[in-house]
Amino acid sequence: MMNAIAFLGNSTMRPSKCLLRAFTRLSPSRDTAFQSHHSRCINQNINNQDPYRITKLRNVVQFCTNRPSSVTTQVASEARNLSASRTCTKDPTLDKIIAKNGLNVKPLTVERLEEDEKDEEVVNGDVRNIDKDGLENVRRKEIEEEAWRLLRQSVVTYCDSPVGTMAANDPTDTAPLNYDQVFVRDFVPSALAFLMKGEGEIVRNFLLYTLQLQSWEKTVDCYSPGQGLMPASFKVRTSPLEEDKFEEVLDPDFGLWWIILLRAYGKITGDYSLQERVDVQTGIKMIANLCLADGFDMFPTLLVTDGSCMIDRRMGIHGHPLEIQALFYSALRSSREMITINDSSKNLVRTINNRLSAISFHIRENYWVDKGKINEIYRYKTEEYSTDATNKFNIYPDQVSPWLMDWIPESHRCGFLVGNLQPAHMDFRFFTLGNLWSIISSLGTPRQNQAILNLIEEKWDDLIGHMPLKICFPALESSEWHIITGSDPKNTPWSYHNGGSWPTLLWQFTLACMKMGRPELAEKAVTLAEKRLQADRWPEYYDTRYGKFIGKKSRLYQTWTIAGFLTAKQLLQNPEMASSLFWEEDLELLETCVCVLTKSGRKSCSRAAAKSQILI
Ligand code: GLC
């Protein structure tokens, strides 16, 4: 994984104090002249320092755990509920936590390891029988219980409060790289699993603490990105570090997931007071303003660099990748529901509405392919310099690769949204997450959404195979792999991001299936995963064309694999909760569209035009 921001800060030693102190914000908010808060862990006893003396030159917040640790970053949000001083006292249960080579590793208990062996015996004993007859309920229960135990063991605490889950928690891994960090996108399935179990505290804490990280003073090569950008991950550190040193790479999908999770928290817990808080409202607006700011772009979609999403390494997805557009659309729909409307917010809400309708028209019309559309592209005229061009993006027909012509089903009931689109460039690869989120958020039309699921069903072996689900299809091979990935040894054909299979996608697939009234498809995929995940020790991803092997460099005990599995199961058991997490088609939204380009030129939008659009 590449796009993580590692915060490196001063060390703290046990016993430590975590103090959250108010001080003036560096860049005043447009909304309120509120104050930001500062948190730090101070070793009062050992250093004999004044606990209230701010030792750093810059505004910083340190994440500290009940382990000797800290994360440093600047704070720029109001955090009323966090403003009280708190003390991290030594918790006897912490003795279970091993700080090995400066890494936080919570061991699996001996009891668990014994159970693992027992499970493996059973599995090795007769894997075929289990497969054929399906897993017995007792086994299912055991697997689920282990998943819960592992998920709880991955929880990271800050001042005795749970604040997130680390990306992977393999006790035998001596080089976890940055997988011991709390990744925002990885935490989403953990959050949903906890929420659906009625445990909202960890999610609330996560939302508030990450909010504090939103506008810290960050620079890359002397450049400070826009206010509102949030980091991709944070880490609780254990080892002493040099003063004020940190290293960062920015990842724009962070704020989008944060907003989506905030909405989910309200929907599932019924606690809407969190999203109504001034600091939280400001956080939403800052992200929205950042994403909606004018740039040099011609399209309503969000322009991002390669590796800006779940695929966080070079994979040729710079530009307007579908995944980011689907998350952007979902985050804007969430914001629109959550922003308190008043004089200062009504313009922003209007801008959000306009952008939402523009994005959906743009994606529905230009990203959609089925056999008919591919044939149309294959016969495109090029260099049509006029407003009524059919080939608006000047796509050269030779881009339609032979694999696609073979692969696309005959039936017009199957289709999908392509991975990326910009002038003279259409990336025809199937990217699973973007397609699933388009279904979940109603970015696609109802017919398109059904057709995506039809395609997955029709292409089950390619997209699900031995382990749900392929991150993208097909893999880049030979010179394409060489040039596009930069010869990335982790992204070799049919491995990792390059056509690997990621069990975490199971929960999003389940949600999409439930939305479209097809839970049986999800059940089939969950059953398939259930047969292997525990025996394989919950891998991050699987390799080969049909997902047969545990990934070459795959982490084990990967938290979002565990949480994704649990969330998928809980969604299937709680259709009502599932329905609170997706979005239905919104005709009013479509109606707000100002105009849409059609073959016959510009056509003004009306409810009738909106309705006809949804029938595509
Ligand atoms: C990998 C994934 C990324 C994930 C990270 C942590 O790099 O590509 O999406 O957030 O691992 O699990």
Side-chain angles (χ1 to χ4, degrees), residues 283-329:
I284 303 171
K285 289 181 207 162
M286 274 166 66
I287 298 170
N289 280 324
L290 184 72
C291 295
L292 294 167
D294 290 335
F296 289 98
D297 212 356
M298 285 295 292
F299 312 117
T301 37
L302 212 56
L303 177 66
V304 297
T305 52
D306 207 348
S308 294
C309 44
M310 175 183 174
I311 295 177
D312 53 6
R313 294 158 83 101
R314 263 181 76 179
M315 267 289 287
I317 50 173
H318 53 277
H320 303 85
L322 180 66
E323 177 181 323
I324 287 288
Q325 312 318 323
L327 293 178
F328 183 32
Y329 186 77

Short mmCIF file of all heavy atoms in Angstrom, two decimals, residues 283-329:
data_model
loop_
_atom_site.label_atom_id
_atom_site.label_comp_id
_atom_site.label_asym_id
_atom_site.label_seq_id
_atom_site.Cartn_x
_atom_site.Cartn_y
_atom_site.Cartn_z
N GLY A 283 -16.60 20.39 8.86
CA GLY A 283 -15.81 19.35 8.20
C GLY A 283 -16.45 18.94 6.88
O GLY A 283 -15.78 18.83 5.85
N ILE A 284 -17.76 18.72 6.90
CA ILE A 284 -18.47 18.32 5.67
C ILE A 284 -18.30 19.41 4.62
O ILE A 284 -17.97 19.15 3.46
CB ILE A 284 -19.98 18.12 5.92
CG1 ILE A 284 -20.25 17.11 7.02
CG2 ILE A 284 -20.71 17.75 4.64
CD1 ILE A 284 -21.72 17.02 7.46
N LYS A 285 -18.51 20.65 5.04
CA LYS A 285 -18.46 21.76 4.07
C LYS A 285 -17.06 21.93 3.50
O LYS A 285 -16.88 22.25 2.33
CB LYS A 285 -18.92 23.05 4.74
CG LYS A 285 -20.40 23.08 5.02
CD LYS A 285 -20.78 24.39 5.67
CE LYS A 285 -22.00 24.23 6.54
NZ LYS A 285 -22.14 25.33 7.48
N MET A 286 -16.06 21.72 4.36
CA MET A 286 -14.68 21.87 3.86
C MET A 286 -14.36 20.82 2.80
O MET A 286 -13.74 21.12 1.78
CB MET A 286 -13.68 21.78 5.03
CG MET A 286 -13.49 23.13 5.69
SD MET A 286 -12.66 23.04 7.28
CE MET A 286 -11.07 22.46 6.84
N ILE A 287 -14.79 19.61 3.03
CA ILE A 287 -14.54 18.56 2.02
C ILE A 287 -15.32 18.89 0.75
O ILE A 287 -14.78 18.84 -0.36
CB ILE A 287 -14.97 17.17 2.54
CG1 ILE A 287 -14.15 16.79 3.76
CG2 ILE A 287 -14.80 16.12 1.45
CD1 ILE A 287 -14.64 15.55 4.49
N ALA A 288 -16.60 19.26 0.92
CA ALA A 288 -17.42 19.56 -0.25
C ALA A 288 -16.81 20.73 -1.03
O ALA A 288 -16.67 20.66 -2.25
CB ALA A 288 -18.85 19.88 0.19
N ASN A 289 -16.43 21.77 -0.32
CA ASN A 289 -15.84 22.94 -1.02
C ASN A 289 -14.58 22.56 -1.78
O ASN A 289 -14.35 23.00 -2.89
CB ASN A 289 -15.51 24.06 -0.02
CG ASN A 289 -16.76 24.84 0.34
OD1 ASN A 289 -17.64 25.05 -0.51
ND2 ASN A 289 -16.86 25.26 1.59
N LEU A 290 -13.78 21.73 -1.14
CA LEU A 290 -12.53 21.31 -1.79
C LEU A 290 -12.82 20.53 -3.07
O LEU A 290 -12.22 20.78 -4.12
CB LEU A 290 -11.73 20.45 -0.82
CG LEU A 290 -10.36 20.01 -1.31
CD1 LEU A 290 -9.40 21.19 -1.33
CD2 LEU A 290 -9.80 18.91 -0.42
N CYS A 291 -13.77 19.61 -2.98
CA CYS A 291 -14.08 18.78 -4.15
C CYS A 291 -14.81 19.56 -5.24
O CYS A 291 -14.73 19.22 -6.41
CB CYS A 291 -14.95 17.59 -3.76
SG CYS A 291 -14.12 16.45 -2.66
N LEU A 292 -15.54 20.60 -4.83
CA LEU A 292 -16.34 21.34 -5.81
C LEU A 292 -15.61 22.55 -6.38
O LEU A 292 -16.14 23.24 -7.25
CB LEU A 292 -17.66 21.79 -5.17
CG LEU A 292 -18.62 20.67 -4.76
CD1 LEU A 292 -19.72 21.19 -3.87
CD2 LEU A 292 -19.21 19.99 -5.99
N ALA A 293 -14.43 22.83 -5.87
CA ALA A 293 -13.69 24.03 -6.32
C ALA A 293 -13.42 23.96 -7.82
O ALA A 293 -13.17 22.89 -8.37
CB ALA A 293 -12.38 24.13 -5.55
N ASP A 294 -13.48 25.12 -8.44
CA ASP A 294 -13.20 25.17 -9.88
C ASP A 294 -11.75 24.83 -10.15
O ASP A 294 -10.85 25.21 -9.40
CB ASP A 294 -13.47 26.58 -10.43
CG ASP A 294 -14.95 26.88 -10.43
OD1 ASP A 294 -15.74 25.90 -10.48
OD2 ASP A 294 -15.32 28.06 -10.37
N GLY A 295 -11.53 24.10 -11.23
CA GLY A 295 -10.16 23.81 -11.64
C GLY A 295 -10.07 24.05 -13.13
O GLY A 295 -10.82 24.86 -13.68
N PHE A 296 -9.22 23.30 -13.78
CA PHE A 296 -9.09 23.47 -15.23
C PHE A 296 -9.90 22.42 -15.98
O PHE A 296 -9.76 22.26 -17.18
CB PHE A 296 -7.62 23.37 -15.63
CG PHE A 296 -6.83 24.55 -15.18
CD1 PHE A 296 -6.08 24.50 -14.02
CD2 PHE A 296 -6.85 25.72 -15.92
CE1 PHE A 296 -5.37 25.60 -13.60
CE2 PHE A 296 -6.13 26.83 -15.50
CZ PHE A 296 -5.39 26.77 -14.33
N ASP A 297 -10.72 21.72 -15.24
CA ASP A 297 -11.38 20.59 -15.84
C ASP A 297 -12.63 20.98 -16.62
O ASP A 297 -13.33 21.91 -16.29
CB ASP A 297 -11.75 19.60 -14.74
CG ASP A 297 -11.70 18.18 -15.23
OD1 ASP A 297 -11.44 18.01 -16.43
OD2 ASP A 297 -11.92 17.27 -14.42
N MET A 298 -12.94 20.17 -17.64
CA MET A 298 -14.12 20.41 -18.48
C MET A 298 -15.29 19.54 -18.05
O MET A 298 -16.39 19.69 -18.54
CB MET A 298 -13.78 20.04 -19.94
CG MET A 298 -12.91 21.03 -20.66
SD MET A 298 -13.77 22.59 -20.85
CE MET A 298 -15.06 22.11 -22.02
N PHE A 299 -15.03 18.60 -17.17
CA PHE A 299 -16.07 17.61 -16.86
C PHE A 299 -16.55 17.75 -15.41
O PHE A 299 -15.81 18.22 -14.56
CB PHE A 299 -15.53 16.19 -17.09
CG PHE A 299 -14.83 16.05 -18.41
CD1 PHE A 299 -13.48 15.74 -18.47
CD2 PHE A 299 -15.53 16.24 -19.59
CE1 PHE A 299 -12.83 15.64 -19.69
CE2 PHE A 299 -14.89 16.14 -20.81
CZ PHE A 299 -13.53 15.84 -20.86
N PRO A 300 -17.77 17.28 -15.16
CA PRO A 300 -18.29 17.38 -13.78
C PRO A 300 -17.64 16.37 -12.85
O PRO A 300 -17.78 16.47 -11.63
CB PRO A 300 -19.78 17.08 -13.95
CG PRO A 300 -19.89 16.27 -15.19
CD PRO A 300 -18.78 16.73 -16.09
N THR A 301 -16.96 15.39 -13.41
CA THR A 301 -16.33 14.35 -12.61
C THR A 301 -15.06 14.91 -11.95
O THR A 301 -14.57 15.97 -12.33
CB THR A 301 -15.98 13.17 -13.53
OG1 THR A 301 -15.56 13.68 -14.80
CG2 THR A 301 -17.17 12.28 -13.74
N LEU A 302 -14.55 14.19 -10.98
CA LEU A 302 -13.39 14.66 -10.22
C LEU A 302 -12.09 14.18 -10.86
O LEU A 302 -11.95 13.00 -11.14
CB LEU A 302 -13.51 14.10 -8.80
CG LEU A 302 -12.97 14.90 -7.64
CD1 LEU A 302 -13.57 16.29 -7.56
CD2 LEU A 302 -13.26 14.14 -6.32
N LEU A 303 -11.19 15.12 -11.09
CA LEU A 303 -9.91 14.78 -11.72
C LEU A 303 -8.89 14.40 -10.64
O LEU A 303 -8.64 15.17 -9.72
CB LEU A 303 -9.41 16.02 -12.49
CG LEU A 303 -8.05 15.93 -13.17
CD1 LEU A 303 -8.06 14.91 -14.30
CD2 LEU A 303 -7.64 17.29 -13.72
N VAL A 304 -8.34 13.21 -10.73
CA VAL A 304 -7.38 12.77 -9.71
C VAL A 304 -6.16 12.11 -10.35
O VAL A 304 -6.16 11.76 -11.53
CB VAL A 304 -8.01 11.78 -8.69
CG1 VAL A 304 -9.12 12.43 -7.91
CG2 VAL A 304 -8.48 10.51 -9.37
N THR A 305 -5.16 11.95 -9.54
CA THR A 305 -3.93 11.31 -10.03
C THR A 305 -4.07 9.79 -9.95
O THR A 305 -4.98 9.27 -9.30
CB THR A 305 -2.74 11.71 -9.14
OG1 THR A 305 -3.12 11.44 -7.79
CG2 THR A 305 -2.40 13.17 -9.29
N ASP A 306 -3.14 9.10 -10.56
CA ASP A 306 -3.12 7.64 -10.50
C ASP A 306 -3.00 7.20 -9.03
O ASP A 306 -2.38 7.89 -8.22
CB ASP A 306 -1.91 7.11 -11.30
CG ASP A 306 -2.16 5.71 -11.85
OD1 ASP A 306 -3.13 5.07 -11.44
OD2 ASP A 306 -1.36 5.27 -12.69
N GLY A 307 -3.58 6.09 -8.71
CA GLY A 307 -3.43 5.55 -7.35
C GLY A 307 -4.17 6.32 -6.28
O GLY A 307 -3.78 6.31 -5.12
N SER A 308 -5.22 7.02 -6.66
CA SER A 308 -5.92 7.87 -5.68
C SER A 308 -7.06 7.17 -4.97
O SER A 308 -7.82 7.82 -4.27
CB SER A 308 -6.51 9.09 -6.38
OG SER A 308 -5.49 9.90 -6.86
N CYS A 309 -7.23 5.90 -5.18
CA CYS A 309 -8.40 5.26 -4.57
C CYS A 309 -7.98 3.92 -3.92
O CYS A 309 -6.86 3.82 -3.45
CB CYS A 309 -9.49 5.09 -5.60
SG CYS A 309 -8.96 4.48 -7.18
N MET A 310 -8.90 2.98 -3.88
CA MET A 310 -8.55 1.70 -3.27
C MET A 310 -7.28 1.15 -3.92
O MET A 310 -6.42 0.58 -3.26
CB MET A 310 -9.71 0.71 -3.47
CG MET A 310 -9.39 -0.67 -2.97
SD MET A 310 -10.73 -1.80 -3.28
CE MET A 310 -10.00 -3.33 -2.75
N ILE A 311 -7.18 1.32 -5.22
CA ILE A 311 -5.94 0.97 -5.91
C ILE A 311 -4.99 2.14 -5.69
O ILE A 311 -5.13 3.19 -6.32
CB ILE A 311 -6.22 0.74 -7.42
CG1 ILE A 311 -7.12 -0.49 -7.56
CG2 ILE A 311 -4.93 0.61 -8.20
CD1 ILE A 311 -7.56 -0.82 -8.97
N ASP A 312 -4.06 1.96 -4.77
CA ASP A 312 -3.24 3.12 -4.39
C ASP A 312 -1.81 3.01 -4.91
O ASP A 312 -0.87 3.49 -4.28
CB ASP A 312 -3.30 3.36 -2.88
CG ASP A 312 -2.95 2.12 -2.07
OD1 ASP A 312 -2.54 1.10 -2.67
OD2 ASP A 312 -3.06 2.17 -0.84
N ARG A 313 -1.65 2.38 -6.07
CA ARG A 313 -0.36 2.36 -6.77
C ARG A 313 -0.64 2.56 -8.25
O ARG A 313 -1.79 2.46 -8.68
CB ARG A 313 0.33 1.00 -6.59
CG ARG A 313 0.75 0.72 -5.18
CD ARG A 313 0.92 -0.76 -4.98
NE ARG A 313 2.22 -1.25 -5.42
CZ ARG A 313 3.23 -1.52 -4.60
NH1 ARG A 313 3.10 -1.32 -3.31
NH2 ARG A 313 4.37 -1.99 -5.05
N ARG A 314 0.41 2.78 -9.02
CA ARG A 314 0.23 3.02 -10.46
C ARG A 314 -0.50 1.88 -11.14
O ARG A 314 -0.06 0.73 -11.11
CB ARG A 314 1.61 3.16 -11.11
CG ARG A 314 2.05 4.57 -11.29
CD ARG A 314 3.41 4.60 -11.95
NE ARG A 314 3.34 4.32 -13.39
CZ ARG A 314 4.43 4.31 -14.17
NH1 ARG A 314 5.62 4.57 -13.66
NH2 ARG A 314 4.32 4.08 -15.44
N MET A 315 -1.63 2.21 -11.74
CA MET A 315 -2.37 1.19 -12.49
C MET A 315 -3.05 1.83 -13.70
O MET A 315 -4.03 1.30 -14.23
CB MET A 315 -3.43 0.55 -11.59
CG MET A 315 -2.97 -0.71 -10.89
SD MET A 315 -2.78 -2.10 -12.01
CE MET A 315 -4.49 -2.48 -12.31
N GLY A 316 -2.55 3.00 -14.10
CA GLY A 316 -3.12 3.67 -15.27
C GLY A 316 -4.53 4.18 -15.03
O GLY A 316 -5.36 4.14 -15.93
N ILE A 317 -4.81 4.66 -13.80
CA ILE A 317 -6.18 5.12 -13.55
C ILE A 317 -6.24 6.61 -13.21
O ILE A 317 -7.19 7.07 -12.60
CB ILE A 317 -6.88 4.28 -12.46
CG1 ILE A 317 -6.00 4.16 -11.21
CG2 ILE A 317 -7.24 2.91 -12.98
CD1 ILE A 317 -6.69 3.50 -10.05
N HIS A 318 -5.23 7.35 -13.63
CA HIS A 318 -5.26 8.80 -13.46
C HIS A 318 -6.37 9.36 -14.34
O HIS A 318 -6.75 8.76 -15.34
CB HIS A 318 -3.93 9.40 -13.89
CG HIS A 318 -3.55 8.97 -15.27
ND1 HIS A 318 -2.92 7.76 -15.51
CD2 HIS A 318 -3.80 9.51 -16.49
CE1 HIS A 318 -2.77 7.59 -16.82
NE2 HIS A 318 -3.29 8.64 -17.43
N GLY A 319 -6.87 10.52 -13.98
CA GLY A 319 -7.93 11.13 -14.79
C GLY A 319 -9.24 11.14 -14.03
O GLY A 319 -9.35 11.76 -12.97
N HIS A 320 -10.22 10.42 -14.55
CA HIS A 320 -11.55 10.44 -13.95
C HIS A 320 -12.01 9.01 -13.67
O HIS A 320 -12.99 8.54 -14.24
CB HIS A 320 -12.52 11.15 -14.89
CG HIS A 320 -12.10 12.54 -15.23
ND1 HIS A 320 -11.21 12.83 -16.24
CD2 HIS A 320 -12.43 13.73 -14.66
CE1 HIS A 320 -11.01 14.14 -16.28
NE2 HIS A 320 -11.74 14.70 -15.34
N PRO A 321 -11.30 8.31 -12.79
CA PRO A 321 -11.64 6.90 -12.55
C PRO A 321 -13.03 6.75 -11.93
O PRO A 321 -13.44 7.57 -11.10
CB PRO A 321 -10.55 6.42 -11.58
CG PRO A 321 -10.04 7.65 -10.93
CD PRO A 321 -10.19 8.76 -11.93
N LEU A 322 -13.70 5.71 -12.37
CA LEU A 322 -15.08 5.48 -11.94
C LEU A 322 -15.22 5.40 -10.42
O LEU A 322 -16.17 5.95 -9.86
CB LEU A 322 -15.58 4.18 -12.58
CG LEU A 322 -17.02 3.80 -12.22
CD1 LEU A 322 -18.01 4.79 -12.79
CD2 LEU A 322 -17.33 2.39 -12.71
N GLU A 323 -14.28 4.74 -9.77
CA GLU A 323 -14.42 4.56 -8.31
C GLU A 323 -14.54 5.91 -7.60
O GLU A 323 -15.41 6.11 -6.76
CB GLU A 323 -13.22 3.78 -7.75
CG GLU A 323 -13.29 3.63 -6.24
CD GLU A 323 -12.09 2.89 -5.65
OE1 GLU A 323 -11.60 1.95 -6.30
OE2 GLU A 323 -11.66 3.26 -4.55
N ILE A 324 -13.64 6.83 -7.97
CA ILE A 324 -13.69 8.15 -7.32
C ILE A 324 -15.00 8.86 -7.65
O ILE A 324 -15.60 9.51 -6.80
CB ILE A 324 -12.46 9.00 -7.77
CG1 ILE A 324 -11.19 8.47 -7.11
CG2 ILE A 324 -12.66 10.48 -7.47
CD1 ILE A 324 -11.06 8.76 -5.62
N GLN A 325 -15.48 8.70 -8.88
CA GLN A 325 -16.73 9.39 -9.26
C GLN A 325 -17.91 8.83 -8.46
O GLN A 325 -18.79 9.57 -8.02
CB GLN A 325 -17.00 9.27 -10.76
CG GLN A 325 -15.81 9.58 -11.67
CD GLN A 325 -15.00 10.79 -11.21
OE1 GLN A 325 -15.56 11.78 -10.71
NE2 GLN A 325 -13.68 10.73 -11.36
N ALA A 326 -17.92 7.53 -8.27
CA ALA A 326 -19.02 6.92 -7.53
C ALA A 326 -18.96 7.33 -6.06
O ALA A 326 -20.00 7.61 -5.44
CB ALA A 326 -18.97 5.40 -7.67
N LEU A 327 -17.75 7.42 -5.52
CA LEU A 327 -17.63 7.86 -4.12
C LEU A 327 -17.96 9.34 -3.99
O LEU A 327 -18.59 9.78 -3.03
CB LEU A 327 -16.21 7.61 -3.59
CG LEU A 327 -15.80 6.15 -3.44
CD1 LEU A 327 -14.36 6.04 -2.95
CD2 LEU A 327 -16.73 5.42 -2.46
N PHE A 328 -17.52 10.11 -4.97
CA PHE A 328 -17.80 11.55 -4.99
C PHE A 328 -19.31 11.76 -5.01
O PHE A 328 -19.87 12.54 -4.23
CB PHE A 328 -17.14 12.13 -6.26
CG PHE A 328 -17.27 13.63 -6.42
CD1 PHE A 328 -17.32 14.49 -5.34
CD2 PHE A 328 -17.31 14.18 -7.71
CE1 PHE A 328 -17.41 15.87 -5.52
CE2 PHE A 328 -17.40 15.56 -7.90
CZ PHE A 328 -17.46 16.39 -6.81
N TYR A 329 -19.97 11.03 -5.88
CA TYR A 329 -21.42 11.14 -6.01
C TYR A 329 -22.09 10.76 -4.68
O TYR A 329 -22.98 11.45 -4.19
CB TYR A 329 -21.87 10.22 -7.15
CG TYR A 329 -23.33 10.34 -7.49
CD1 TYR A 329 -23.81 11.42 -8.24
CD2 TYR A 329 -24.25 9.37 -7.07
CE1 TYR A 329 -25.15 11.52 -8.56
CE2 TYR A 329 -25.59 9.47 -7.40
CZ TYR A 329 -26.04 10.55 -8.14
OH TYR A 329 -27.37 10.66 -8.44
#
